[in-house]
Amino acid sequence: MKRLLVAGLLAPALVVCSAGAQGLLNPATEKKIDALLGQMTLEEKIGQLNQYSSPFDMTGPAPSQGAQKRAYDQIRSGLVGSMLNVTGAEATRKAQQLAVENSRLKIPLIFGYDVIHGYKTIFPIPLGEAASWDPAAVERSARIAATEAAAAGLHWTFGPMVDVARDARWGRIMEGSGEDPFLGSQMAAARVRGFQGKDLAAVDTIAACAKHYAAYGFAEAGRDYNTVDISESTLRNVVLPPFKAAADAGAATFMNSFNEIGGIPATASVHLQREILKGEWGFKGFVVSDWGSIGEMVPHGFSDDLAHAAQQAIAAGSDMDMESRAYVAHLAGLVKSGKVDVKLINEAVRRVLRVKYALGLFDDPYRYSDAGRERAATMTPEHLAAAREVARKSIVLLKNDGLLPLDKTVRSIAVIGPLADDKDSPLGNWRGQGAANSAVSLLEGVKAAVSPATRVLYAEGAKLVTGPRNFSAPSVYNTTDRSGLPAAVEAARAADVVLLAIGEDAYQSGEGRSQADIGLKGLQDELVRAVVEANKRVVVVLMSGRPLTIGHVADAVPALVESWLLGSQSGHAIADVLFGDYSPSGRLPVSFPRHVGQEPLYYGHKNTGRPGPESSVTWSHYTDVANDPLYPFGFGLSYTTFSYSEPKLSATEIGRDGRLTVSVTVTNTGKRAGTEVAQLYVRDLVGSVTRPVKELKGFERIDLLAGQAREVTFTITAADLAFYTARGRWEAEPGAFRVFVGGNSRDLKEASFSLR
Ligand code: NOJ
């Protein structure tokens, strides 16, 4: 263990009040909240902590019986503080009227919704956007999503989802930024900035919500909602950085998570919510539970009943109850019996009111519900153009033996596969109010791109799914109908080149969509074999919400692109890349495995005590599959090639206040212009807790003309080297470091330095 410490290097994680967290604190508002709290009954206070999903059509007549009538009456009595899933200017206005025109204190409702990758204009799924390695583009996507959502009366999105996810079996990997805490932090902050803009009270901004706090992505075996049991070191060093980045960027709210962690449900975790988030980080906004997560503490075996769960959740700092109905049913009784201190309620209500004030709802509760703006600000040509721009930046070229880019004047082209003319799947899961079947399909994109003389053939080949496809229905991927295969083979044979669109449909990834097998479902492998036999000139366009095991497909075809689920403009964006209007610049935000048995698979693993030698048997490896991924984190090809010089360091030693620069010359060695993503990794050779073999510490997108060279310079300070050490502090430890620069996490040039 290292003996000396670099003292005073308090990482962002230990800074008590971040700029972002303080943004919500305003003395004048706090006084108003004091006054309001003074007028509120206990029941009205608890009402502010109660959130319902829209129980009826807000624009229709008042419900006359049952649970719907009860909810209606509760809204009118001021016993509901927030609603989710009420959307549209008209519906939100009606619901707001119920609260504001009927309740005693006229406290406005806050309307939340899952605006995850767009509201009506749908952008690439977040994992896809992360592949752009372009925080500015991702910020713009969130900005547009916020503009559309705010015009529809929404105040608050349940995003960004900032869970680091290292297991491709987990269906919700599609909703985040992949496996890396550094890239994840950049994306988290960009999305918060985009949603919230510069002023939460502006009519085109909405409050962000960093979720799922915390460690939801570490579910055992990648099975959704499963147990999480990770060390404090993994929690602090891997899971929390993107949450901290979101808090620092000013995220107004957090959502806790369904999972337990170390035996404590996150919803009841004092450590996560009170000690770290509200304590160490000084977070001033509020925490909403995940849907029913307070109630789920009963089946977790942590709470005797719903009342007990309410007591535990409020004590742990879960401020708002999403749909467990635990607070509204039990908190008043718990306060009266002395089991819950009313101070806890007051504090939670204060946090909720703070966000409502910051949104300007007390000035005008209807300010966001504007039917005119909703019409004018939704799916504008400008928004669609931005969606196309982010989408093409998100595409990752994984293999190209020279077939790409294609010529637009090609005589004939066959567009084949279950996803080839699918106008719905590109919208992905969590698609907001994106209208079903509203995406540009690949077939449409190709038709719009090629010359009028080009013959475009189409064959579905085989269906991917039988039965319903939507958020709530489990999809069935057991197609046995081979009747479409002959037409696919015929089209492949007749065409000069084939585009084969395969992968996953919209609802194959997402919540509750974990898979034990991440290979191609249905008859897709059979389709690939048949098509390749008919025509060798095949470009596979892979659409998916997660890494898939496609090594055999990559071996069989000359070109392969990962196009995720790219949103409204999918087909145009893919065509932009395939026909060379845009040279691919996306890089993988997550490792692609050779075999599902390698999962969880990530580049920033530990070295172990047995990293080799490979000549022996007794080293850390599989005897049947290689350790390394099929495609590593950070990987992606371009239509040109890049070379890196040896990195030059400005110093080989730095002190605690020092900095060094790492400079490298990147040269475009090909014949076309292109964009490279230069990446900087560091390895801390010895730590008081062991350190990963590589950690991303910086990246830069650089545009280079053919033959052009540019020097890229990264700066490293001691703070960049800090981590959560064995002493329970965020600090850098002196010693030897390696630094790596290159175009992906595998192919790197390296140098060394030390920290005094
Ligand atoms: C449950 C999901 O886990 C969460 O991400 C989402 O925001 C809520 N449902 C509300 O839809």
Side-chain angles (χ1 to χ4, degrees):
M1 187 188 284
K2 291 168 182 170
R3 277 164 294 133
L4 287 170
L5 286 185
V6 176
L9 289 179
L10 282 188
L14 290 184
V15 175
V16 170
C17 259
S18 68
Q22 281 188 338
L24 282 174
L25 265 195
N26 168 334
T29 306
E30 296 300 304
K31 275 210 184 111
K32 287 184 195 163
I33 296 174
D34 289 338
L36 194 49
L37 277 169
Q39 295 175 56
M40 293 169 84
T41 64
L42 178 61
E43 282 69 20
E44 284 167 338
K45 290 177 182 172
I46 293 164
Q48 288 304 305
L49 311 181
N50 181 30
Q51 184 189 52
Y52 288 155
S53 181
S54 172
F56 50 88
D57 177 7
M58 290 291 163
T59 56
S64 57
Q65 55 189 6
Q68 299 193 340
K69 163 119 174 58
R70 270 197 304 283
Y72 184 88
D73 290 341
Q74 285 183 334
I75 298 170
R76 289 161 49 105
S77 315
L79 299 182
V80 179
S82 171
M83 299 195 70
L84 72 152
N85 298 331
V86 184
T87 59
E90 196 195 343
T92 50
R93 180 173 284 271
K94 286 268 169 59
Q96 194 68 295
Q97 258 165 1
L98 273 189
V100 171
E101 290 179 10
N102 296 284
S103 65
R104 192 175 72 91
L105 294 171
K106 310 190 183 323
I107 300 177
L109 295 166
I110 174 171
F111 297 113
Y113 191 57
D114 289 283
V115 183
I116 304 301
H117 53 113
Y119 180 68
K120 286 245 190 217
T121 303
I122 302 303
F123 288 80
I125 57 166
L127 185 66
E129 279 193 347
S132 72
W133 292 56
D134 188 341
V138 170
E139 180 175 337
R140 182 159 162 67
S141 146
R143 182 86 292 285
I144 290 171
T147 304
E148 293 191 355
L154 292 165
H155 311 136
W156 176 28
T157 173
F158 303 127
M161 191 279 225
V162 305
D163 296 307
V164 169
R166 298 178 154 185
D167 193 328
R169 292 173 294 182
W170 191 49
R172 299 194 80 170
I173 196 170
M174 53 86 43
E175 248 178 279
S177 297
E179 71 183 52
D180 185 61
F182 184 88
L183 182 63
S185 297
Q186 303 288 317
M187 294 299 159
R191 291 194 168 107
V192 172
R193 289 194 302 268
F195 287 134
Q196 297 196 164
K198 288 196 173 37
D199 176 12
L200 262 189
V203 291
D204 63 350
T205 60
I206 54 178
C209 180
K211 71 185 187 186
H212 305 83
Y213 190 70
Y216 183 38
F218 279 67
E220 281 178 3
R223 204 183 75 213
D224 207 3
Y225 319 117
N226 203 7
T227 306
V228 174
D229 203 351
I230 57 169
S231 68
E232 188 71 6
S233 171
T234 300
L235 177 71
R236 297 276 192 162
N237 289 312
V238 181
V239 170
L240 293 189
F243 286 101
K244 182 61 172 57
D248 284 346
T253 74
F254 267 52
M255 182 187 291
N256 61 31
S257 54
F258 291 125
N259 56 286
E260 66 162 71
I261 166 165
I264 314 286
T267 306
S269 175
V270 173
H271 183 49
L272 284 172
Q273 300 183 139
R274 290 215 181 272
E275 292 174 2
I276 298 178
L277 177 62
K278 297 179 178 176
E280 292 174 24
W281 299 355
F283 172 71
K284 299 292 182 240
F286 70 86
V287 179
V288 63
S289 81
D290 201 349
W291 182 289
S293 71
I294 298 176
E296 288 181 14
M297 298 205 292
V298 176
H300 265 298
F302 193 74
S303 313
D304 297 327
D305 51 29
L306 197 60
H308 187 208
Q311 181 186 343
Q312 292 170 309
I314 193 81
S318 294
D319 300 308
M320 186 181 276
D321 170 0
M322 181 193 286
E323 276 291 350
S324 287
R325 305 184 179 221
Y327 285 3
V328 69
H330 298 291
L331 277 186
L334 288 162
V335 171
K336 284 173 192 150
S337 68
K339 286 189 175 151
V340 166
D341 189 334
V342 73
K343 282 192 197 140
L344 293 179
I345 313 280
N346 288 344
E347 189 225 312
V349 176
R350 175 179 294 281
R351 288 173 177 275
V352 172
L353 294 179
R354 216 175 251 156
V355 174
K356 290 186 176 182
Y357 272 108
L359 285 161
L361 295 177
F362 282 94
D363 297 334
D364 174 5
Y366 305 110
R367 61 192 310 174
Y368 295 86
S369 307
D370 182 330
R373 202 173 56 239
E374 184 178 22
R375 274 190 303 276
T378 301
M379 292 198 89
T380 62
E382 189 199 342
H383 293 182
L384 290 169
R388 179 169 177 167
E389 178 64 16
V390 187
R392 59 192 203 169
K393 285 183 168 172
S394 304
I395 295 169
V396 186
L397 178 63
L398 293 175
K399 179 176 180 184
N400 186 14
D401 284 352
L403 183 55
L404 291 175
L406 301 172
D407 193 331
K408 285 183 187 169
T409 60
V410 61
R411 244 183 343 162
S412 58
I413 185 164
V415 188
I416 298 176
L419 298 168
D421 197 26
D422 187 338
K423 291 176 62 58
D424 197 61
S425 285
L427 301 173
N429 210 329
W430 293 116
R431 72 218 358 223
Q433 287 290 301
N437 295 308
S438 63
V440 177
S441 74
L442 176 62
L443 180 62
E444 290 171 326
V446 168
K447 282 185 176 163
V450 293
S451 73
T454 302
R455 245 182 99 219
V456 181
L457 309 168
Y458 164 70
E460 186 180 29
K463 289 211 180 306
L464 186 49
V465 186
T466 53
R469 280 202 328 194
N470 59 54
F471 179 80
S472 330
S475 303
V476 182
Y477 300 93
N478 61 355
T479 337
T480 51
D481 181 357
R482 292 180 166 75
S483 59
L485 291 176
V489 169
E490 203 176 305
R493 217 172 263 142
D496 289 332
V497 63
V498 178
L499 302 180
L500 185 52
I502 53 173
E504 295 188 322
D505 79 344
Y507 294 104
Q508 207 169 329
S509 55
E511 186 176 351
R513 267 49 181 215
S514 292
Q515 290 184 182
D517 175 8
I518 52 171
L520 294 167
K521 299 285 186 200
L523 298 173
Q524 295 186 102
D525 279 323
E526 205 172 314
L527 177 65
V528 172
R529 279 195 299 275
V531 166
V532 170
E533 213 176 281
N535 190 336
K536 297 278 169 276
R537 288 166 52 83
V538 176
V539 180
V540 165
V541 178
L542 200 61
M543 301 186 187
S544 67
R546 54 155 70 83
L548 300 177
T549 44
I550 37 82
H552 58 294
V553 176
D555 287 343
V557 298
L560 172 66
V561 298
E562 169 62 63
S563 69
W564 317 105
L565 301 163
L566 288 178
S568 301
Q569 293 289 294
S570 173
H572 289 320
I574 300 171
D576 286 344
V577 165
L578 296 181
F579 295 101
D581 289 334
Y582 185 80
S583 180
S585 64
R587 303 290 183 262
L588 293 179
V590 61
S591 310
F592 268 51
R594 297 173 187 279
H595 189 281
V596 67
Q598 294 176 295
E599 296 289 333
L601 181 69
Y602 50 98
Y603 81 92
H605 58 80
K606 301 294 185 68
N607 202 37
T608 81
R610 295 262 178 122
E614 297 185 18
S615 53
S616 80
V617 170
T618 49
W619 67 290
S620 180
H621 74 303
Y622 301 104
T623 55
D624 53 354
V625 177
N627 280 4
D628 66 334
L630 179 67
Y631 298 113
F633 175 82
F635 178 81
L637 301 169
S638 160
Y639 289 150
T640 185
T641 47
F642 303 98
S643 75
Y644 284 74
S645 67
E646 290 299 325
K648 278 196 305 260
L649 273 52
S650 61
T652 52
E653 192 180 87
I654 49 169
R656 68 174 66 167
D657 301 322
R659 59 181 57 225
L660 65 81
T661 57
V662 182
S663 304
V664 68
T665 301
V666 184
T667 308
N668 180 343
T669 48
K671 294 198 171 61
R672 301 173 60 108
T675 304
E676 170 66 325
V677 182
Q679 301 163 35
L680 175 88
Y681 297 84
V682 159
R683 177 171 181 185
D684 184 349
L685 293 182
V686 180
S688 62
V689 297
T690 59
R691 309 300 305 133
V693 295
K694 271 168 212 157
E695 289 179 273
L696 183 69
K697 292 289 179 186
F699 59 87
E700 196 177 324
R701 283 173 60 91
I702 38 173
D703 301 326
L704 292 173
L705 298 171
Q708 195 185 359
R710 214 168 93 197
E711 190 174 68
V712 183
T713 300
F714 296 100
T715 302
I716 297 178
T717 66
D720 296 319
L721 306 173
F723 65 102
Y724 192 77
T725 67
R727 286 161 288 277
R729 297 184 50 184
W730 193 270
E731 58 197 355
E733 293 177 338
F737 290 81
R738 265 186 214 143
V739 59
F740 311 85
V741 187
N744 64 67
S745 63
R746 183 189 59 201
D747 305 310
L748 297 158
K749 297 259 164 82
E750 93 177 70
S752 299
F753 68 92
S754 62
L755 178 69
R756 268 196 311 273

